[in-house]
Amino acid sequence: MGNLYIPILAGIITAISQIPQANLIYKTNKTRDVSLCTYLLFSISSTLWLVYGYMIKDKGILIGQIIILPFVYYIFTKKLIDSSWIWVNYNIVVS
């Protein structure tokens, strides 16, 4: 039971570390200084940890990733949308 607290605590701390970035993006609606590659890899990694936690029935990993994923997906999605918009407009201007 004691081992359950470590992954939950790690998940909470990691989620908290994402809140300032997600909040800034929400307030400014700008993702210019956010790395798409970083959040793509973070999204994949967190999803794999969630699947792994489910496979081994580890509540600590599951809870930790469930806390983290909404923030990571939000940041990644906003960056992806902003990056797509830039490329679409770039192609229109260049064409």
Side-chain angles (χ1 to χ4, degrees):
M1 187 68 174
N3 291 337
L4 179 64
Y5 297 113
I6 293 173
I8 292 174
L9 182 61
I12 290 170
I13 291 169
T14 305
I16 289 170
S17 74
Q18 298 303 309
I19 291 172
Q21 185 69 61
N23 188 41
L24 184 65
I25 291 170
Y26 179 76
K27 285 182 177 179
T28 65
N29 204 29
K30 295 180 183 175
T31 60
R32 181 177 168 197
D33 297 326
V34 175
S35 169
L36 180 62
C37 183
T38 298
Y39 277 93
L40 169 64
L41 294 174
F42 199 1
S43 297
I44 292 168
S45 172
S46 294
T47 303
L48 290 173
W49 274 111
L50 181 70
V51 170
Y52 176 69
Y54 178 78
M55 288 171 56
I56 66 169
K57 309 291 188 242
D58 188 312
K59 290 180 185 176
I61 293 174
L62 285 171
I63 292 169
Q65 295 311 306
I66 288 170
I67 293 169
I68 294 168
L69 281 172
F71 298 107
V72 173
Y73 285 166
Y74 173 75
I75 295 168
F76 174 67
T77 303
K78 288 293 286 181
K79 179 62 179 182
L80 186 63
I81 290 168
D82 289 351
S83 296
S84 299
W85 183 84
I86 289 168
W87 283 108
V88 168
N89 286 327
Y90 175 76
N91 289 332
I92 292 171
V93 172
V94 173
S95 297

